[in-house]
């Protein structure tokens, strides 16, 4: 059932299925995605657990955050969401960006189990060419703002960002682009040793967005973590190998 809840002025859309007395599991999609992207994961749990599939703020049918949020702000929103729905010891499923929130939530909350799917959370290693590109852009940005003024200059800079950024970046609004830039540069390794819940890491071995080395680092830092990787699969391992993914998830959650 599609529902909407207002939390601190943000309209949050989610799908809630399953009996209220079943074990709850919250599914959080990746950046630029929505509840439909992870519908196949939702279907694995249907009839066996209470499944809550959330459109994160700024995605799907949920409204954008009121300011430039970091991972902490998204996590605080989900903590309030859990409280408002009266969920006790929910399990979490986080794909990519949704994994960031799952990591912080489980590092300090009462969480039953955590499934991290091709999760973000490790700050990517940057090459010299990356820093050259970043600082060159900053120089151009400052020059454009100086010559064209703040209003016109900001419009030009936003267009330049849109042309040069990733597909996720290009398809986002100016505010969501700023949020993405902020969140991507947050390293959550500090929170991982505090996770007390059992964690299963499921990864595509050919993932280039969040490489398998990230999963291996998470496995070392999270006290009770296991890792399953699928050969020939990329960043959407749950779509690339749906049968293997379902088997692993069903075993982990005993459903």
């Amino acid at each position: 059932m599609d529902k909407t809840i207002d939390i601190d002025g943000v309209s949050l859309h989610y799908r809630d299925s399953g009996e209220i007395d079943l074990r709850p599991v919250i599914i959080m999609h990746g950046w630029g995605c929505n509840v439909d992207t992870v519908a196949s994961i939702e279907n694995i749990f249907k009839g066996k657990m209470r499944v809550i599939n959330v459109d994160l703020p700024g995605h799907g049918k949920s409204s954008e955050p009121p300011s430039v949020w970091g991972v902490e702000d998204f996590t605080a929103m989900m903590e309030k969401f859990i409280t408002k729905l009266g969920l006790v010891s929910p399990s979490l499923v986080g794909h990519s960006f949704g994994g960031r929130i799952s990591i912080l939530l489980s590092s300090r909350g009462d969480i039953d189990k955590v499934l991290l799917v091709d999760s973000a959370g490790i700050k990517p290693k940057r090459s010299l060419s990356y820093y050259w590109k970043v600082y060159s852009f900053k120089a151009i940005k400052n020059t454009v703002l100086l010559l064209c003024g703040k209003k016109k200059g900001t419009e030009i800079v936003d267009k330049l960002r849109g042309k040069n950024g990733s597909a996720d970046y290009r398809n986002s609004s100016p505010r969501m682009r700023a949020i993405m830039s902020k969140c991507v540069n947050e390293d959550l390794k500090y929170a991982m040793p505090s996770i007390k819940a059992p964690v299963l890491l499921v990864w595509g071995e050919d993932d280039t967005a969040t490489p398998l080395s990230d999963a291996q680092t998470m496995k070392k830092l999270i006290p009770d973590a296991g890792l399953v990787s699928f050969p020939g699969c990329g960043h959407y391992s749950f779509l690339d190998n749906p049968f293997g993914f379902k088997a692993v998830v069903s075993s982990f959650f005993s459903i």
Side-chain angles (χ1 to χ4, degrees):
M1 181 183 296
D2 284 86
K3 297 182 179 181
T4 303
I5 189 171
D6 186 279
I7 301 176
D8 296 338
V10 175
S11 176
L12 203 63
H13 167 258
Y14 64 101
R15 287 206 294 247
D16 190 346
S17 58
E19 299 298 324
I20 197 168
D21 57 345
L22 293 174
R23 290 182 296 154
V25 57
I26 301 171
I27 302 175
M28 290 175 280
H29 58 74
W31 190 271
C33 300
N34 56 46
V35 293
D36 293 328
T37 312
V38 289
S40 62
I41 301 178
E42 180 183 342
N43 289 334
I44 295 173
F45 294 98
K46 276 187 175 179
K48 300 159 188 172
M49 297 179 70
R50 181 184 177 187
V51 198
I52 299 158
N53 188 359
V54 183
D55 270 338
L56 296 172
H59 296 79
K61 297 178 182 178
S62 294
S63 61
E64 288 190 0
S67 59
V68 179
W69 279 12
V71 181
E72 170 60 37
D73 300 292
F74 282 94
T75 304
M77 163 69 70
M78 290 308 300
E79 287 172 333
K80 292 176 182 178
F81 177 75
I82 289 170
T83 299
K84 283 207 169 193
L85 265 63
L87 304 177
V88 179
S89 298
S91 290
L92 306 175
V93 177
H95 172 244
S96 194
F97 180 73
R100 290 183 183 273
I101 302 168
S102 299
I103 288 168
L104 271 194
L105 268 175
S106 57
S107 72
R108 64 198 196 196
D110 180 16
I111 302 300
D112 186 33
K113 291 185 177 182
V114 184
L115 178 65
L116 297 177
V117 186
D118 301 293
S119 174
I122 305 291
K123 186 175 180 178
K125 295 178 181 178
R126 307 297 195 183
S127 63
L128 287 174
S129 60
Y130 168 84
Y131 287 107
W132 172 258
K133 183 178 178 181
V134 168
Y135 289 113
S136 296
F137 183 83
K138 285 184 177 179
I140 293 170
K141 171 186 171 182
N142 292 334
T143 301
V144 169
L145 291 174
L146 181 64
L147 295 176
C148 301
K150 185 176 180 180
K151 185 177 180 181
K152 184 63 177 176
T154 299
E155 291 176 3
I156 295 172
V157 169
D158 282 339
K159 287 181 181 178
L160 288 172
R161 282 197 180 113
K163 288 180 180 178
N164 293 300
S166 65
D168 283 342
Y169 190 88
R170 289 195 301 273
N171 294 329
S172 298
S173 69
R175 177 174 293 169
M176 293 306 290
R177 288 176 185 173
I179 290 172
M180 183 181 181
S181 296
K182 182 174 183 178
C183 291
V184 163
N185 287 302
E186 294 186 40
D187 197 333
L188 303 179
K189 290 199 293 289
Y190 73 91
M192 294 175 190
S194 299
I195 298 175
K196 296 180 176 61
V199 176
L200 179 63
L201 305 157
V202 178
W203 237 260
E205 292 184 7
D206 296 338
D207 189 341
T208 55
T210 54
L212 185 59
S213 58
D214 286 3
Q216 292 163 342
T217 298
M218 291 181 186
K219 185 176 183 296
K220 290 177 183 176
L221 292 174
I222 298 171
D224 184 7
L227 170 61
V228 175
S229 62
F230 295 130
C233 295
H235 191 55
Y236 292 82
S237 58
F238 62 97
L239 297 177
D240 294 339
N241 186 353
F243 299 108
F245 183 83
K246 181 177 180 179
V248 168
V249 171
S250 298
S251 175
F252 181 60
F253 286 96
S254 302
I255 55 176

